[in-house]
Amino acid sequence: MTSRDRFLKALRCEALPRPPLWLMRQAGRYLPEYRALRARHSFLELARTPELAAEVTLQPLKRYALDAAIIFSDILVVPEAMGLPFLFREQGGIEMAFTVKSRADLARLTVSGAAKKLHYVTEAIGLVRARLGNERALLGFCGSPWTLAAYMVNGGAGNNLEALTMMFRLDAKLFRELLGRITAVCCDYVRMLAQSGVDAIQIFDTWGGLCSPEIYGEASLQWIRQMVAAADGQAPVILFAKGKGYDWRALAEAGAAAVSVDWTVDLPALRERLPLTVAVQGNLNPAALLADADGARRAAESLLASMAGRRGFVFILGHGVRPETPPENVSVLVETVRAWTSAPRAK
Ligand code: 1CP
């Protein structure tokens, strides 16, 4: 069975002796070969040059027997295409060029034709697919409208994280106009990704946890649902929602093939609660890869054992690989998951 078949079978909740494995942020600063390229090119140069983006995408796959690649890009290319660029701070992290606070700011954002500016992503996808063939799965991704709005209204992490929630509560009309515009671009972009030949599209709702559970449906999930509809079954959608205060059944009913969760969620319990038409993806704590290799192996085995024999499981970290991760620990993780076999459970 190819890695790509394994990945697609897991998303369809078919029985497998071991789960497919990939990592969020599997390309990035923990890899010396990434840092070497970054020393010569800015992040945006890497992301916007299809040959370079393809090379960075393939870096972790050359080192590790991962089952899937994720195209090298960023969720913030969408606001950037709408006319709101982001900058790298001297001290690390990112910052938006301006924040959206009023109707006048909203008027600065482009909707029509914005997604077309992201053609460099689909070109990079074409290059990666040509090199990977059908051996391994290839994922595209997009931020959720709520999470993108969190950057566009709050600014980068460490800024006023309540500004978007305040807009939702105090100026519902402005909120809906903003989210409607972002969603329109995200839907165009998802259609482009789905047609570019990716095997799945991950939607990152990294800041979904800023919503209290009673507003999540209106503030975030309704816009995500439109994106899932835009994929139109051409590529399965994986929905990553960070945090644990969600109505998981409502997320599962949004139409995604899989729900992806962080390490604060009890994954076997979530698997029990969701129907076997929706896969779960998760959720090793990225911190488990920061210390010794033995600890990384034990943490991976414990998650594998807890999910042994269950259908509809994709093994991933609960969030991105941290830049300080020793690359050897990722090797140990990959070896541990690949060596695992378990018989299917009755259920
Ligand atoms: O080289 C550098 O210094 C830039 C670091 C970096 C990298 C490697 C950024 C800036 N983005 C990326 C790539 C990236 N981002 C990928 C592709 C790589 C891969 O997965 O292999 C993906 C899928 C993302 C997605 C992304 N970007 C998310 C969603 C996932 C998550 O981490 O929750 C988010 C929130 C971002 C925003 C972003 N981009 C970059 C940074 C430093 C941040 C976080 C900003 C912040 O909140 O402080």
Side-chain angles (χ1 to χ4, degrees):
M1 187 186 335
T2 65
S3 282
R4 180 170 176 263
D5 288 340
R6 180 182 303 279
F7 185 81
L8 293 172
K9 276 174 186 277
L11 289 186
R12 292 194 301 263
C13 299
E14 292 176 23
L16 289 166
R18 74 149 174 100
L21 167 74
W22 68 286
L23 308 170
M24 271 184 232
R25 297 274 178 112
Q26 61 192 27
R29 281 173 295 170
Y30 77 105
L31 289 177
E33 55 272 35
Y34 175 79
R35 292 197 301 271
L37 264 186
R38 266 291 267 127
R40 283 188 277 133
H41 304 278
S42 71
F43 175 82
L44 280 175
E45 253 167 38
L46 290 181
R48 281 197 197 126
T49 314
E51 291 75 18
L52 291 173
E55 186 179 340
V56 177
T57 303
L58 292 167
Q59 281 180 343
L61 282 92
K62 286 187 183 140
R63 253 182 200 259
Y64 309 117
L66 295 157
D67 293 301
I70 178 161
I71 195 67
F72 184 78
S73 181
D74 199 84
I75 61 168
L76 299 175
V77 298
V78 167
E80 198 242 358
M82 295 176 76
L84 204 181
F86 61 103
L87 320 160
F88 280 88
R89 287 198 191 110
E90 281 292 316
Q91 64 276 32
I94 55 101
E95 186 178 313
M96 307 309 287
F98 63 93
T99 53
V100 178
K101 291 182 226 61
S102 63
R103 267 194 179 71
D105 298 328
L106 197 66
R108 295 169 75 181
L109 303 175
T110 321
V111 173
S112 172
K116 284 211 182 72
K117 293 192 189 144
L118 303 175
H119 60 86
Y120 55 84
V121 181
T122 47
E123 280 169 37
I125 288 170
L127 294 176
V128 173
R129 178 57 90 198
R131 279 178 228 167
L132 281 183
N134 284 333
E135 274 299 308
R136 309 214 217 178
L138 174 58
L139 281 84
F141 68 92
C142 185
S144 77
W146 166 269
T147 287
L148 294 177
Y151 284 100
M152 296 164 82
V153 174
N154 300 339
N159 289 39
N160 176 11
L161 290 182
E162 301 309 317
L164 179 61
T165 317
M166 296 295 278
M167 186 191 284
F168 174 82
R169 295 193 189 274
L170 298 176
D171 195 344
K173 197 157 174 279
L174 182 62
F175 176 87
R176 279 199 301 272
E177 274 176 39
L178 173 62
L179 273 280
R181 285 190 197 197
I182 300 170
T183 305
V185 180
C186 287
C187 286
D188 287 346
Y189 186 42
V190 159
R191 268 180 225 110
M192 276 167 62
L193 291 174
Q195 285 159 17
S196 72
V198 291
D199 295 303
I201 297 170
Q202 177 141 328
I203 297 177
F204 285 99
D205 201 4
T206 301
W207 289 108
L210 288 176
C211 297
S212 30
E214 82 278 7
I215 69 164
Y216 187 75
E218 195 183 338
S220 186
L221 197 58
Q222 64 160 319
W223 315 100
I224 290 173
R225 225 181 262 126
Q226 294 182 39
M227 291 170 68
V228 176
D232 195 26
Q234 286 192 66
V237 171
I238 303 170
L239 171 54
F240 170 66
K242 191 165 184 317
K244 64 177 175 183
Y246 297 96
D247 172 352
W248 295 114
R249 282 197 163 267
L251 262 70
E253 283 159 13
V259 174
S260 188
V261 300
D262 76 14
W263 61 93
T264 60
V265 174
D266 180 339
L267 199 63
L270 180 67
R271 180 60 289 171
E272 292 285 324
R273 267 169 67 190
L274 297 185
L276 265 175
T277 47
V278 180
V280 297
Q281 183 177 267
N283 68 345
L284 193 74
N285 190 337
L289 298 181
L290 294 182
D292 58 306
D294 227 37
R297 179 181 299 111
R298 279 198 308 274
E301 282 174 352
S302 151
L303 176 58
L304 287 162
S306 74
M307 293 298 285
R310 292 179 203 265
R311 285 189 272 156
F313 167 41
V314 177
F315 193 118
I316 193 173
L317 299 184
H319 203 204
V321 180
R322 302 256 198 89
E324 60 276 28
T325 305
E328 313 79 73
N329 289 359
V330 175
S331 298
V332 168
L333 169 66
V334 174
E335 283 158 19
T336 307
V337 177
R338 288 190 71 101
W340 187 262
T341 48
S342 68
R345 292 185 174 220
K347 191 190 157 204

